[in-house]
Structure formats: C-alpha cells, structure tokens
Amino acid sequence: MSIEKRIPLNSDGLSLSRLVLGAWRLLDQGAKPSAAGVARLIDEAIALGLTSFDHADIYGNYGVEAAFGAGLAGWSGKRQSIELITKCDIMLTSDQRPENRVKHYDTSAAHIKASVDRSLQNLKTDYIDVLLLHRPDPLMDADDTAAGLQAVVEAGKVRAVGVSNFTPPQIDLLASRLPFAVVTNQIEMSVTATAPLTDGSLDHAQRLRYAPMIWSPLGGGSLFTGTGEQEQRVRAALQAVGAELGVDDIAAIAIAWLLRHPARLVPVLGSLKPERLAKMVAALDITLERQQWFAILKASTGRDVA
C-alpha cells in the first residue's frame, strides 16, 4: 500500500503534511531561540516535507506560540504554504496566568474566542488552520462550546476544528452540535502505547473517515532509553524488521508501523533537529509487510494475538 504524503482534512482543500512538526519543545533548551533560528527551522522542516506545525497555547509555559510567531513574522515564505495547528482549554497554574488557582479545563465559548485571539496575536498570523480542544472538559456545555467554535470559524479566524484526547462518544456529542465536521482527534499512540487499536478510537476514525493525529509517536523517548521488558522487546523487534528492510534507524520503523494503519494516522514529531527529522521522514518510504507489523505488536503486548 502506498503512503499518502498529504492528508486531506475537509472538502475545502485543507490538508496536512503526513508528518507534522511538534513545536512543544521549542523552549526546552533554556535559551529562547532567535527569530532567525525559528525561521530557519521552518525552512528546514518544509525542505523535509513537513509543512504542518503543531502548537498549544500552554506549551513552554504559554511561551512557545510567541517564540514561533516571532520567527514566522520574519520568515520569507508564504503563509499559505504552511499549516498552523494549535489547541486551547487546558488552564495551567502559572505565573503567566495568575488568575488560575487550580489546573482546570475551560471549553466555554468565551474562552475559546479569547484563546483564539491570543493565539493569532502570538503566532503573528491572521488565521489558524486547525484549532483543537486540548482535553475533554467534564463541564463542557456542548451547545456553548459548539457556538464558540462556530463563531471563530465563521469569523475566518479558524479554518477547521478538531479535538485531542477525546473518546468517540465525546467526539460524537460535540459533532452533534456543529454544522461542520470534527476533522481530527489527536491521541497518544506508539509501538509501546497501543490502546487506540482496541479502545475504539481508530475504529471511530475509520467510520467517520477523519485522520487521527498522533502525539508521542515514539513513546516520549522511552523507545530508546526505557529499560523495561516491553521497551527491550520492542527495540529488538524494530531492529529485526529494520534489518529485513535495510533500515538501521528504529525510529523510522516505529513511525512506519503507525503509518501502516488504515486509519491514516498523522504522527506529530517531537524532535527539532533536522538530522533526526530526516531519519524519521524516511518512514514515508517504508511499507511494513503485514507479518512484520504484527511481530512488532506482539513485542509490545508480550503475546500473540488471540
């Protein structure tokens, strides 16, 4: 089966690159990156085919969006050649948000509209390609939340709406109040975190034909550094499959394992190093044979399928 290099999200021509660059670690190095450095990162990502950039208002203690926006403002490329994704509704206790006395969620229409305006200002852009609700909110009023999402779409501030970490029934509830489709659900999945295969998430995505985005597609680094039995089994299985295919990078095989699923998964890559990204992008040219895919699943679960 061939691997799509881009994934269409809706009938209006919006699509994402099959692999997305996650910006959440942009401020992890301590020193704030220069605007020129961020602009260079955008160019390096595009050169690898990564035109989509994943954000959230909370990343970097509410600082990543603005750091990225400073680079975007000085970038020489065309805004319409890239896609910006961001998220809202998690309310952290932070010196940047002194009004938050306790970590909580807010999916109210008022917060959605205010958060979108702030993200637009931070990212130095006129529109967000995809806005995600970051976490399910137990106090979500579906009518009010949908009204807020509809308002930002109709205002031209957001092109499409999705969710993150939602269950299928939670998606169905929100979708029942919206006049447009929920275009994605960003969920955790990797060769060491396989719950979406059995919890209904990927079945729901296939039924409604939306492409799930995948966060932590390499297990947050545990795939390389974890010392548990599962990690050791999976590393060995990835190495064995890689040897069969002539690929010496287990990250590429782990990403290819996700891409093999028919739900059209869209992994969000966490590295900001071009050389590491290039090795992961190589997964787009790797198609795992069915038994290779199941051998990796067996290594992850520790047993044959029933």
Side-chain angles (χ1 to χ4, degrees):
M1 59 184 284
S2 61
I3 297 175
E4 297 171 271
K5 298 301 189 289
R6 295 194 65 80
I7 294 291
L9 294 186
N10 61 21
S11 59
D12 295 330
L14 176 61
S15 65
L16 299 180
S17 52
R18 186 58 188 268
L19 301 177
V20 171
L21 183 67
W24 70 85
R25 293 176 176 164
L26 191 63
L27 299 181
D28 282 6
Q29 303 305 313
K32 183 177 179 180
S34 68
V38 172
R40 184 166 55 253
L41 173 65
I42 296 172
D43 280 330
E44 290 168 340
I46 292 173
L48 293 170
L50 308 176
T51 66
S52 305
F53 300 84
D54 181 72
H55 291 271
D57 57 349
I58 63 170
Y59 288 164
N61 191 28
Y62 294 97
V64 164
E65 283 186 337
F68 189 91
L72 188 62
W75 177 57
S76 60
K78 295 181 179 180
R79 168 63 180 88
Q80 61 267 32
S81 67
I82 65 172
E83 300 80 41
L84 297 180
I85 304 145
T86 197
K87 312 176 193 73
C88 70
D89 94 22
I90 297 179
M91 311 290 278
L92 298 181
T93 55
S94 164
D95 56 352
Q96 301 300 311
R97 299 291 187 273
E99 67 275 16
N100 294 346
R101 301 186 306 276
V102 62
K103 182 181 179 181
H104 62 286
Y105 306 133
D106 189 346
T107 53
S108 67
H111 176 69
I112 288 169
K113 289 185 279 190
S115 184
V116 165
D117 286 342
R118 192 176 310 197
S119 289
L120 291 173
Q121 180 180 4
N122 286 338
L123 289 167
K124 302 292 190 295
T125 186
D126 295 328
Y127 65 94
I128 293 163
D129 292 279
V130 186
L131 175 70
L132 307 180
L133 297 180
H134 206 159
R135 289 277 177 179
D137 174 10
L139 293 181
M140 183 181 81
D141 178 328
D143 291 308
D144 185 55
T145 299
L149 294 172
Q150 188 172 349
V152 295
V153 170
E154 291 179 348
K157 297 177 180 181
V158 170
R159 294 181 67 190
V161 164
V163 295
S164 182
N165 306 296
F166 274 48
T167 66
Q170 289 166 337
I171 298 172
D172 290 341
L173 171 59
L174 180 62
S176 73
R177 304 300 205 273
L178 290 169
F180 43 76
V182 174
V183 300
T184 191
N185 183 22
Q186 188 174 132
I187 56 176
E188 180 182 11
M189 186 176 173
S190 68
V191 290
T192 56
T194 62
L197 294 173
T198 54
D199 68 9
S201 296
L202 301 187
D203 303 318
H204 188 263
Q206 284 207 76
R207 181 169 68 84
L208 297 183
R209 299 185 186 278
Y210 62 82
M213 297 178 68
I214 303 300
W215 61 267
S216 199
L218 296 176
S222 65
L223 181 62
F224 310 102
T225 61
T227 57
E229 291 184 4
Q230 182 196 36
E231 291 93 344
Q232 294 181 56
R233 289 195 309 266
V234 169
R235 277 197 296 273
L238 293 172
Q239 289 165 352
V241 171
E244 293 173 5
L245 297 174
V247 178
D248 62 2
D249 187 81
I250 63 171
I253 301 298
I255 297 295
W257 186 84
L258 294 170
L259 296 178
R260 179 65 174 78
H261 195 279
R264 302 180 305 139
L265 310 185
V266 181
V268 180
L269 308 181
S271 178
L272 298 176
K273 297 179 180 179
E275 62 276 13
R276 286 297 303 133
L277 292 170
K279 290 186 176 182
M280 287 184 269
V281 168
L284 293 170
D285 297 317
I286 299 170
T287 300
L288 298 188
E289 185 268 337
R290 181 177 290 266
Q291 292 193 57
Q292 292 171 331
W293 190 92
F294 274 95
I296 294 169
L297 177 62
K298 177 181 177 178
S300 180
T301 62
R303 61 184 183 277
D304 283 313
V305 292

